[in-house]
Amino acid sequence: MHEHDLTNTRTSGADARSWWEARYAERDGVWSGRVNAVLATVAAGVPVGRALDLGCGEGGDVVWLAEHGWTALGIDLSVTALTRASAAAVGAGVEERTAFVAADLASWDTSARFDLVTASFLQSWPVEIPRADILRAAAGFVAPGGHLLVTAHAAPPHGGVSEEMRAYRFPTPEDDLAALRPDADWDVLEAARRPRTATGPDGHEHHTVDSVVLVRRH
């Protein structure tokens, strides 16, 4: 989740759900549908298995994972987004390897364990979510030998953002690693900033930076 102007408003999960439902209702498709490039690179280098995508939006990452042999579950607040995700899975012919659940990640839980847990740009403004708590819980969903990948905006995602967003404190790799609290049961494979070039809503290219944290459970 990400986009739009930043305020200091704190909201409940229900308010966040309403805001994101309205956001997705603004247009037929909010995101590109393409896989997050960091996820594609990481997933290509680990054994295929069960995947969990936290804040999956319209399902681009889930569909890509399923197309590459994974059994993938996507969780998101927005029913509208997940309806589109399900349709994308059907369109790609991978509906049997995908599932989607509408839930608040602040309280969602499962006894299932996954070989890959991913959170791609799990950031929300102007409504806040308890992101650090969600990431900490995410570590508990990783199976032995599995990986957890957190990719975040570490800078404004494009040039046409408000001054309020420019003042937002974007998470750093150190922030997200601290939220995960990896102990001796984990290997930290990456905690770094990755520069990339993005295209903004106006079509212009913009240089930005992502925070990438990749850890593996023993």
Side-chain angles (χ1 to χ4, degrees):
M1 302 181 219
H2 48 95
E3 279 295 320
H4 259 228
D5 294 347
L6 177 73
T7 72
N8 292 322
T9 304
R10 293 185 178 273
T11 64
S12 68
D15 290 337
R17 182 180 296 109
S18 298
W19 193 90
W20 281 100
E21 282 291 352
R23 178 77 175 92
Y24 281 109
E26 289 177 354
R27 64 186 76 172
D28 291 337
V30 174
W31 313 124
S32 69
R34 296 187 297 271
V35 64
N36 167 27
V38 174
L39 171 61
T41 300
V42 168
V46 300
V48 170
R50 300 182 68 191
L52 171 64
D53 184 10
L54 302 175
C56 68
E58 293 164 328
D61 287 354
V62 172
V63 169
W64 183 92
L65 286 163
E67 288 176 328
H68 289 77
W70 293 80
T71 299
L73 171 64
I75 312 294
D76 201 273
L77 277 173
S78 170
V79 173
T80 298
L82 295 182
T83 298
R84 295 171 185 168
S86 295
V90 171
V94 294
E95 65 270 25
E96 293 185 358
R97 289 198 299 276
T98 60
F100 299 95
V101 173
D104 182 356
L105 289 172
S107 56
W108 182 78
D109 197 5
T110 178
S111 61
R113 296 298 178 259
F114 300 84
D115 304 295
L116 175 63
V117 176
T118 180
S120 297
F121 307 113
L122 182 64
Q123 294 160 270
S124 179
W125 53 75
V127 293
E128 289 190 10
I129 57 174
R131 186 172 176 276
D133 293 340
I134 291 169
L135 295 183
R136 195 167 300 121
F141 303 141
V142 181
H147 293 75
L148 171 58
L149 172 65
V150 180
T151 307
H153 294 297
H158 54 76
V161 299
S162 66
E163 289 303 316
E164 290 85 357
M165 184 185 288
R166 293 183 186 280
Y168 172 66
R169 186 183 182 280
F170 289 88
T172 67
E174 294 79 13
D175 291 334
D176 285 348
L177 198 59
L180 295 176
R181 297 178 183 171
D183 56 20
D185 291 335
W186 295 86
D187 293 323
V188 178
L189 304 182
E190 183 174 358
R193 295 164 179 79
R194 290 193 186 187
R196 66 179 171 93
T197 301
T199 302
D202 58 3
H204 292 113
E205 289 190 341
H206 170 69
H207 297 292
T208 187
V209 181
D210 292 337
S211 165
V212 178
V213 172
L214 177 64
V215 295
R216 178 178 58 212
R217 185 187 289 278
H218 291 172

